[in-house]
Amino acid sequence: VFKLNNITVSSEELVGTSSLQVYPNPVKNGKVFLSQSSTFSVFDINGKQMLGPITNIEFDVTDWIAGIYMIKMKNGGVQKLIVAY
């Protein structure tokens, strides 16, 4: 179960919450791409906002530490992102 700014999300709830695809996932370094341009924010597992809100189709995670991040879409969908080095 993850908490993002007063929103509780379990891993089961992540499935099917958005038609947006995130790749590569897991990402080893460099850029993450979205299947379509979207307005989103990215949070770490502790709820700290790492990025956004921005509207784009890609973002760079080169300087991020390995871990689990949540991509929260403006429309309310949530996608899990794993950064692994």
Side-chain angles (χ1 to χ4, degrees):
V1 174
F2 306 99
K3 283 199 167 213
L4 299 174
N5 295 340
N6 299 323
I7 300 170
T8 302
V9 179
S10 72
S11 58
E12 291 82 20
E13 291 172 336
L14 293 174
V15 177
T17 58
S18 173
S19 62
L20 190 73
Q21 300 296 313
V22 178
Y23 58 93
N25 194 7
V27 60
K28 294 192 186 230
N29 60 26
K31 291 190 178 189
V32 174
F33 298 91
L34 308 178
S35 59
Q36 63 191 38
S37 184
S38 181
T39 300
F40 62 93
S41 298
V42 183
F43 298 87
D44 70 10
I45 198 69
N46 297 313
K48 177 184 173 190
Q49 188 167 351
M50 302 294 294
L51 180 67
I54 65 168
T55 302
N56 209 335
I57 198 164
E58 66 182 34
F59 60 97
D60 194 328
V61 297
T62 301
D63 296 329
W64 295 14
I65 62 170
I68 298 173
Y69 296 85
M70 297 295 151
I71 302 171
K72 184 175 184 283
M73 311 302 167
K74 183 178 178 180
N75 69 4
V78 177
Q79 293 283 333
K80 179 170 67 171
L81 172 67
I82 299 171
V83 175
Y85 292 112

